[in-house]
Amino acid sequence: LKPWEQAALAQCSVFRGGFTAEAAEAVVSLESVAEAPEVLEVLMTLRSKSLVRGYYPAEAQAELRYGLFESIREYALEKLLELKIDSAVRERHARFFSGVGKRLSAEAEGNPAVLDALSREREKLNAVFQHAVESGLRGPRALQAVRALDPLLSVRGPFGAHLAMLDAALAMLQDQDRAHKLLGLEARGRVRQLRGKVAEAALDFQEMLTLAQGQGARELEGRALLYLANIERLRANRAEGRRLYERALETLRQVGDR
């Protein structure tokens, strides 16, 4: 293989499962390789040599995706580590798929086609989460990956893994990540409530409320109050639930008045 083909194949090893041409262009960099062609040209060459395969997913026949057979991916991953560029490649990979996941998750509710698209990127987002946790990367990256997967995990599971991932991701946050913590508590509280863990969900929503009030995040404060109102209704505390519901509506009205 030519140097740029070696470099491209090694970098493609970070993709778990299939990937698009757009993903390859965002993650694979050949800038440091002299006389290297464009990334897509090199990808086509690797495909012609049967080192990269092309295929169309059954649920998305118009979307050409690429992938590596697992034996080739393992070999290419060894080469990536030898090149000592794995950190930079994983960073580009994480940035790209965090963005894709955020966009898809925002459109996924009630949209099976978007859920399918999110499912096709599940392995990549799992890899972003896993690498952040296993490498001890403090900050919001692990949580961003889990929140991107949230619509998929909530509907299709695995449900136990969903909660475990949220626990681990929240544990990676730092003091300055309070905005992310708010959203993480909301996500975990909702999952706990869906799984029948009402008392634990209430703790998440109460902490969410306290943080939102401290940060002046009025919309999130209103949402936390709504969640707590629902919890009280589940507990048959109708008067307290009504009181919290009225507070939530008033808070959200004030946000809407701005």
Side-chain angles (χ1 to χ4, degrees):
L1 295 179
K2 294 177 179 176
W4 49 85
E5 294 168 357
Q6 295 178 37
L9 182 63
Q11 292 176 67
C12 284
S13 68
V14 299
F15 295 116
R16 291 185 186 174
F19 58 95
T20 62
E22 180 187 8
E25 288 184 302
V27 175
V28 177
S29 174
L30 301 175
E31 292 179 359
S32 63
V33 185
E35 301 180 0
E38 295 294 323
V39 169
L40 288 185
E41 183 180 340
V42 179
L43 189 64
M44 294 302 101
T45 301
L46 292 172
R47 185 183 179 189
S48 70
K49 294 181 178 182
S50 299
L51 294 170
V52 170
R53 65 189 183 95
Y55 67 97
Y56 293 91
E59 71 280 7
Q61 289 289 330
E63 181 183 280
L64 175 61
R65 294 176 73 86
Y66 302 91
L68 278 66
F69 291 109
E70 191 58 27
S71 57
I72 294 176
R73 195 180 82 84
E74 290 175 0
Y75 168 80
L77 184 57
E78 292 178 5
K79 295 301 178 183
L80 179 67
L81 296 174
E82 288 177 10
L83 291 171
K84 301 186 185 304
I85 58 171
D86 54 301
S87 294
V89 177
R90 290 186 190 281
E91 177 65 23
R92 292 193 295 271
H93 175 278
R95 287 181 181 275
F96 177 79
F97 284 105
S98 293
V100 169
K102 182 178 180 180
R103 174 176 56 80
L104 290 174
S105 65
E107 303 169 1
E109 186 173 355
N111 192 327
V114 177
L115 271 180
D116 287 341
L118 187 57
S119 182
R120 290 193 290 276
E121 310 304 347
R122 179 199 287 255
E123 288 187 79
K124 272 73 70 181
L125 287 163
N126 278 335
V128 172
F129 164 80
Q130 184 178 354
H131 183 259
V133 172
E134 291 180 353
S135 65
L137 179 64
R138 306 288 293 179
R141 176 153 294 164
L143 183 59
Q144 288 169 336
V146 183
R147 288 191 61 240
L149 285 168
D150 190 76
L152 185 67
L153 293 169
S154 295
V155 174
R156 301 181 183 178
F159 305 117
H162 193 182
L163 266 179
M165 291 171 75
L166 283 165
D167 287 342
L170 281 163
M172 301 305 295
L173 297 179
Q174 301 183 88
D175 289 342
Q176 64 266 30
D177 299 321
R178 292 178 183 175
H180 291 283
K181 187 173 183 179
L182 269 170
L183 297 172
L185 288 168
E186 179 181 33
R188 188 172 67 181
R190 290 175 62 183
V191 174
R192 282 175 163 173
Q193 185 175 338
L194 283 171
R195 304 276 78 79
K197 300 176 182 291
V198 176
E200 293 176 3
L203 291 175
D204 279 338
F205 295 141
Q206 185 59 57
E207 186 176 358
M208 176 189 174
L209 175 61
T210 302
L211 279 175
Q213 290 171 333
Q215 294 181 49
R218 298 286 282 163
E219 182 179 350
L220 287 167
E221 179 183 344
R223 280 166 29 193
L225 286 166
L226 276 177
Y227 294 132
L228 288 168
N230 288 330
I231 292 287
E232 292 306 320
R233 289 186 176 188
L234 288 172
R235 291 170 167 170
N237 296 331
R238 295 184 179 179
E240 180 63 10
R242 187 179 302 111
R243 187 185 70 81
L244 289 168
Y245 184 69
E246 289 172 356
R247 281 182 59 193
L249 287 183
E250 179 59 28
T251 302
L252 293 171
R253 283 194 198 102
Q254 292 173 10
V255 173
D257 287 342
R258 286 203 184 101

